[in-house]
Amino acid sequence: MKKYLYFILPVIYIFLDQATKFLVTKNIPYGSFIKINDCLSIVNVSNTGTAFSMFQNNNLIFIFIISAIIVYLLFFIFKNRTELTNLQMHCLLLILSGGVGNLTDRIFRGAVVDFIDAGYKEVYRWPSFNVADSCVCIGVFLFIIFCLRKNND
C-alpha cells in the first residue's frame, strides 16, 4: 500500500494545483481579485520568474532548471527509497509535486498562475502564490526541520 501511496499523493497534489489554477483563470479576469477578508484575497496573476516574482521573463531558462531538478529528485527518490523515512519521502514528494505543477504552467501557459494573496490589510501583502508553491515550501521546511532534528540526536 505504501508504494501506491507514494504514487497517489503527488498525483493528488498536482491535480489540486492544476484544478485551482484552472478555476481561477476561468472565473476571475486576469489582474482582478476577489476579497475574502482583510487578510486574504483570490487573485489572477502570472509569474514568469521565480519565487516572489524575481528574475521575470526567463521562463525558458526556468523550464530547463526545474526539469533538471525534477529529474534529479526522481533519481534521488528512486535510488534512496529504502533508506528514506516516510517523512523524508513525503517531503520530497511535496517538493516534486510543486515542481511538476509549476513546470506544467510554464510549458502550457507560458507563466505560473498565482492566485493566493495573503497579508494584513494593505499594510503588508505577501507575494501571491499557489498550491504548487505551498507544496514546495512545506516540503523544504519539513525536510530542513527533520534534518536539523536528526543532527541534534
Side-chain angles (χ1 to χ4, degrees):
M1 178 64 180
K2 192 163 72 169
K3 291 178 189 177
Y4 297 114
L5 190 60
Y6 291 152
F7 174 75
I8 293 169
L9 286 175
V11 170
I12 291 170
Y13 297 144
I14 294 165
F15 174 79
L16 288 173
D17 176 62
Q18 292 299 305
T20 53
K21 290 172 180 175
F22 175 81
L23 290 171
V24 166
T25 57
K26 293 299 176 197
N27 295 300
I28 300 173
Y30 185 80
S32 298
F33 67 94
I34 297 173
K35 184 176 180 177
I36 307 298
N37 56 40
D38 285 341
C39 298
L40 182 66
S41 295
I42 305 299
V43 299
N44 182 358
V45 296
S46 62
N47 178 7
T48 58
T50 61
F52 311 118
S53 299
M54 296 186 299
F55 310 112
Q56 288 292 314
N57 302 317
N58 291 300
N59 199 45
L60 189 58
I61 293 169
F62 292 121
I63 287 174
F64 288 113
I65 292 170
I66 295 168
S67 296
I69 292 169
I70 289 169
V71 168
Y72 174 79
L73 273 174
L74 285 169
F75 176 76
F76 182 83
I77 289 169
F78 182 76
K79 182 179 178 218
N80 298 291
R81 69 189 177 278
T82 57
E83 289 86 31
L84 292 169
T85 66
N86 286 334
L87 178 61
Q88 288 173 318
M89 181 66 88
H90 197 86
C91 291
L92 293 173
L93 293 175
L94 278 165
I95 297 166
L96 180 69
S97 301
V100 170
N102 281 340
L103 179 63
T104 301
D105 280 11
R106 289 183 186 282
I107 292 170
F108 293 105
R109 295 183 172 148
V112 174
V113 174
D114 289 329
F115 61 90
I116 303 168
D117 177 54
Y120 178 69
K121 298 186 179 183
E122 297 307 317
V123 177
Y124 177 77
R125 302 306 297 177
W126 189 257
S128 298
F129 59 98
N130 58 46
V131 173
D133 297 337
S134 299
C135 286
V136 170
C137 289
I138 292 167
V140 168
F141 177 76
L142 291 176
F143 197 81
I144 290 170
I145 296 296
F146 177 82
C147 290
L148 291 174
R149 282 189 60 208
K150 188 174 181 182
N151 287 340
N152 288 335
D153 291 339

